[in-house]
Amino acid sequence: MPYYDDELDAVLRALADPTRRAVVERLARSPAVVSDLAAPFAMALPSLLQHLRVLENAGVVTSEKHGRVRTVSLRPGALDVLHLWLGEQRTPAEHQADRLGIHLARTIDEGPTT
Amino acid sequence: MPYYDDELDAVLRALADPTRRAVVERLARSPAVVSDLAAPFAMALPSLLQHLRVLENAGVVTSEKHGRVRTVSLRPGALDVLHLWLGEQRTPAEHQADRLGIHLARTIDEGPTT
């Protein structure tokens, strides 16, 4: 699945940086204008804009300009590709633990059989 | 949470490479010896060993040497830190969709109220 791989690669490269993760964490609460995003970081605006470009190219964020103000949002479902990949990496032991958990939950729901 | 951040950073940097992801995908099925891991990759063994070191330093894999044979395994729970972080990045809209889903599931379970 080359498209899926490229998308996953771009998302992981984008997230493998603490500043970009901090931006994602902030945007998960609500969209924000660039100047507000820049405020908590001790970095020049061009550096932050460069990080935002990496996030936007990876499809993690989207942005819209109204007049002189650019608003950045987390793209809905942006991290789904990573969720999906992580789910596929569950080991047989973890799958077995899942099945045991489901079995126990059902047993508890049904109550004692005596 | 500096420890959590460092762990997350190491895991993401480790996974932001297609060869290392392919190794993780292979190890999710079962542990493997280094020579078997090397087989599908058109790369020199030292390069693969370097990738394995990155994965091991990030706590994603563990390895054990018996005689001349080194067996590599996915560390159980190695990717939990990433699962946790992804869960925290759910947007308010996604949380609302979750709540709607739970409400609908309950409504369906309870059946019609008339």
Side-chain angles (χ1 to χ4, degrees):
Chain A
M1 286 186 288
Y3 173 68
Y4 168 83
D5 275 351
D6 287 352
E7 195 186 344
L8 180 63
D9 208 56
V11 168
L12 280 167
R13 282 170 199 270
L15 296 179
D17 174 277
T19 301
R20 292 197 290 266
R21 281 200 303 281
V23 168
V24 169
E25 289 165 8
R26 167 63 192 81
L27 294 177
R29 301 208 311 270
S30 68
V33 301
V34 170
S35 54
D36 286 351
L37 279 179
F41 301 109
M43 69 167 59
L45 191 62
S47 303
L48 183 76
L49 289 174
Q50 175 58 32
H51 282 307
L52 289 176
R53 251 194 304 276
V54 174
L55 287 168
E56 195 157 8
N57 288 342
V60 177
V61 309
T62 55
S63 75
E64 239 179 307
K65 201 165 184 176
H66 295 287
R68 293 169 56 88
V69 177
R70 181 172 289 279
T71 304
V72 187
S73 314
L74 204 59
R75 191 173 67 76
L79 305 175
D80 287 358
V81 66
L82 188 48
H83 259 297
L84 192 67
W85 185 81
L86 277 176
E88 287 169 0
Q89 307 326 313
R90 299 182 68 72
T91 61
E94 287 169 325
H95 281 297
Q96 209 169 350
D98 284 350
R99 282 196 297 272
L100 178 65
I102 290 165
H103 172 73
L104 288 175
R106 277 187 191 149
T107 310
I108 291 161
D109 273 357
E110 285 163 7
T113 50
T114 50
Chain B
M1 287 185 288
Y3 175 68
Y4 167 84
D5 274 352
D6 287 352
E7 195 186 343
L8 180 62
D9 209 56
V11 168
L12 280 167
R13 283 170 199 270
L15 297 179
D17 175 277
T19 301
R20 293 197 289 266
R21 281 201 303 282
V23 169
V24 169
E25 288 164 11
R26 169 61 192 83
L27 293 176
R29 300 206 313 270
S30 69
V33 301
V34 169
S35 54
D36 286 352
L37 279 179
F41 301 109
M43 68 167 59
L45 192 61
S47 304
L48 183 75
L49 290 174
Q50 175 58 31
H51 282 307
L52 288 177
R53 252 193 304 276
V54 174
L55 286 168
E56 194 156 10
N57 289 341
V60 176
V61 309
T62 54
S63 74
E64 240 179 307
K65 200 165 184 177
H66 294 286
R68 293 169 57 87
V69 177
R70 182 173 288 279
T71 304
V72 188
S73 314
L74 204 60
R75 191 172 67 77
L79 304 175
D80 287 359
V81 65
L82 188 48
H83 260 298
L84 192 68
W85 185 81
L86 278 177
E88 287 169 1
Q89 306 327 313
R90 299 182 69 71
T91 62
E94 286 169 327
H95 281 297
Q96 208 169 354
D98 285 349
R99 282 197 296 273
L100 178 64
I102 290 165
H103 172 72
L104 287 176
R106 277 187 191 149
T107 310
I108 290 160
D109 273 356
E110 285 162 7
T113 50
T114 51

